[in-house]
Amino acid sequence: MTEANASARRPSGELEASVLAALWAADGRALTPADVQRDLGTALARTTVTTILARLYEKGSVSRTRAGRGYAYLPVQDSPGLAARRMRTELDKSGEDDRGTVLARFVSQLGPDDERLLRELLAGAEEAPPAEGGEVS
Amino acid sequence: MNYTVWVPLVLPLLAVPAARRLAEALPPRLAAWLLAGTAVALAACSTVALLLLAGAGALRLPPVAALGHFELPVVGDQVTVAAACVAAVLLAVVVTALVRTARRHLVLAARARRDAVAAGTAAGDLTVLQDPGPDAYALPGRPGRIVVTTGMLRALGAAEREALLAHERAHLAGRHHLFLAAFALARSCHPALRALRGPLSYALERWADEAAAAAVGDRRLAARAIGRAALASRPGAPRPHAALPATTGPVPRRVAALLTLPPARAPRAPRTIALVLASCLTLSAACALEAAHDLHGSIELAQGER
């Protein structure tokens, strides 16, 4: 199975999520479909990326401006950060246990020793030779 | 009723350390099932024991005796009035804790969901929150949503973002919130079960880590994503109670597990520990049943049926 096939088989919701994440990660820079394709690093077809961006635009998740013959896309910024902060405060109020019950979390707090150890582990991982980045085959 | 009714109340003290030991030797998915299952089983047995103790006391009250058409006073059990009263109080505490946990759980989940939907831009299963503080989590529901802050997205590279999304999707696909909810309810029933909380969270995170590593096809990449995310979200000032020296928290352990453990290989679970745990669970259930049987017997006796 080639990589293109693997990408094509992913549910379209997952591809939309990846594209939106790439736009937000660009930190205010508008991205063309080519930029997104390059950033994602996977062998997604340009037309697929263009289709996904068009779909996100129709849903109102992103805005776009003319760039050459095509468009460049920006994520839509509404009610900036306000509700997000409110949500965070609510969660923090609820205590660690309850919060964990509701939200399966990706990261947890690190102590100083944890941080040191983690940096060592990651440094070790970076030195080791194989497969960097998204070059999955 | 005799000593059997006390057994389910004290056995968690032995079963909990055994479950922790065993979980360490098991692959994450199995460990999560073991820990959650053990907690629920122990909680159920100890709650039944409390019910029986309180029930045995209640049978001596004249109104209850009249209601049950008792012809003779309840005799032959060793439950003292004091023990029955203590059991009744503990039972009330358990029920209150159960209701509170369930309510808080539902309210908090609903609120988090509403706020995430109101605040973020969404695409597919992802909601992005505009917040410079790096954070990422999965919100259960139908369908579940992955919530990631812009701070987190900017802290990671494209491939690492994919690993993060895969990790959160694994939480949702594995319905990990149900494990946590079942555990939260179980823990309300017996204080000794609290010690299983850390191992259960760890097992669920490891489970999602392995799923993410499989999804992106690169264990090293998944490890790096977890590590970078953790370092990015570390607050500037260290928290005082997190500073236990010479202990390594869950994140370095997770990263190390991804970097060192060869895929699909786990050490064999220690047989003795497994045996101890199995005995504890069996004994706990058997004693609860036996005590129930005893109580039933003495009720029949009091009703003059024997």
Side-chain angles (χ1 to χ4, degrees):
Chain A
M1 189 166 67
T2 68
E3 230 173 86
N5 277 339
S7 297
R9 259 166 229 203
R10 290 175 63 195
S12 67
E14 293 193 6
L15 294 176
E16 283 184 25
S18 299
V19 169
L20 184 69
L23 289 178
W24 274 109
D27 208 0
R29 205 157 44 85
L31 298 185
T32 63
D35 294 333
V36 173
Q37 190 193 22
R38 202 173 318 123
D39 179 54
L40 289 180
T42 49
L44 271 181
R46 176 84 56 89
T47 49
T48 312
V49 176
T50 311
T51 311
I52 293 170
L53 283 167
R55 204 182 302 154
L56 290 178
Y57 175 72
E58 279 163 28
K59 285 182 188 169
S61 303
V62 302
S63 60
R64 67 184 184 191
T65 49
R66 272 270 162 210
R69 292 170 57 196
Y71 293 102
Y73 293 83
L74 265 175
V76 169
Q77 322 230 357
D78 51 5
S79 60
L82 212 137
R85 215 161 300 132
R86 200 177 65 219
M87 172 171 173
R88 191 182 268 266
T89 329
E90 281 297 340
L91 288 171
D92 287 344
K93 262 191 277 178
S94 61
E96 200 53 44
D97 277 356
D98 292 316
R99 182 178 172 138
T101 308
V102 176
L103 315 166
R105 297 171 56 74
F106 186 63
V107 289
S108 43
Q109 302 282 350
L110 293 178
D113 290 332
D114 281 355
E115 189 184 350
R116 184 181 44 73
L117 183 66
L118 191 52
R119 287 192 192 282
E120 284 169 17
L121 283 169
L122 290 174
E126 232 109 281
E127 280 161 23
E132 282 289 308
E135 291 146 28
V136 185
S137 57
Chain B
M1 202 149 38
N2 47 35
Y3 68 90
T4 51
V5 75
W6 302 101
V7 173
L9 294 174
V10 292
L11 264 186
L13 297 176
L14 179 62
V16 164
R20 289 182 60 135
R21 267 298 307 280
L22 193 57
E24 279 171 21
L26 292 175
R29 186 195 191 105
L30 211 57
W33 276 104
L34 174 93
L35 291 164
T38 301
V40 168
L42 291 172
C45 290
S46 83
T47 307
V48 166
L50 283 181
L51 262 171
L52 291 171
L53 277 167
L59 291 179
R60 294 167 187 237
L61 301 173
V64 177
L67 205 68
H69 305 292
F70 290 0
E71 293 167 10
L72 304 161
V74 177
V75 290
D77 63 44
Q78 293 161 1
V79 176
T80 63
V81 174
C85 289
V86 171
V89 169
L90 288 178
L91 200 60
V93 170
V94 165
V95 170
T96 318
L98 276 174
V99 171
R100 269 191 61 201
T101 306
R103 259 197 58 215
R104 214 158 32 173
H105 182 76
L106 292 174
V107 168
L108 201 63
R111 190 182 300 156
R113 229 183 131 65
R114 202 189 52 218
D115 285 354
V117 171
T121 33
D125 51 2
L126 172 70
T127 296
V128 178
L129 293 181
Q130 290 169 58
D131 186 338
D135 205 355
Y137 46 79
L139 274 180
R142 283 186 201 148
R145 296 210 64 78
I146 298 165
V147 183
V148 186
T149 63
T150 48
M152 179 64 87
L153 290 175
R154 284 164 194 164
L156 301 177
E160 291 160 353
R161 291 199 303 268
E162 288 303 307
L164 176 139
L165 293 177
H167 174 103
E168 300 302 347
R169 279 185 193 119
H171 277 318
L172 294 174
R175 310 195 71 66
H176 291 175
H177 62 285
L178 294 182
F179 286 78
L180 292 169
F183 177 79
L185 290 175
R187 199 198 50 187
S188 312
C189 300
H190 199 296
L193 298 178
R194 193 171 294 245
L196 293 180
R197 163 77 217 205
L200 177 62
S201 313
Y202 179 73
L204 292 174
E205 291 306 324
R206 282 278 304 128
W207 178 349
D209 288 348
E210 289 295 336
V216 298
D218 185 347
R219 300 173 69 78
R220 204 176 292 282
L221 168 63
R224 216 169 52 222
I226 294 160
R228 298 249 318 239
L231 289 173
S233 57
R234 185 174 179 273
R239 298 185 308 169
H241 64 273
L244 276 176
T247 53
T248 58
V251 172
R253 275 175 66 207
R254 282 165 59 197
V255 170
L258 278 174
L259 290 178
T260 59
L261 196 80
R265 245 336 288 154
R268 280 189 69 83
R271 287 238 176 114
T272 356
I273 306 281
L275 201 65
V276 168
L277 182 61
S279 316
C280 283
L281 293 176
T282 316
L283 193 63
S284 205
C287 286
L289 278 177
E290 170 66 17
H293 183 75
D294 274 3
L295 186 65
H296 184 239
S298 47
I299 291 173
E300 284 193 335
L301 209 62
Q303 287 174 330
E305 286 176 17
R306 277 200 220 155

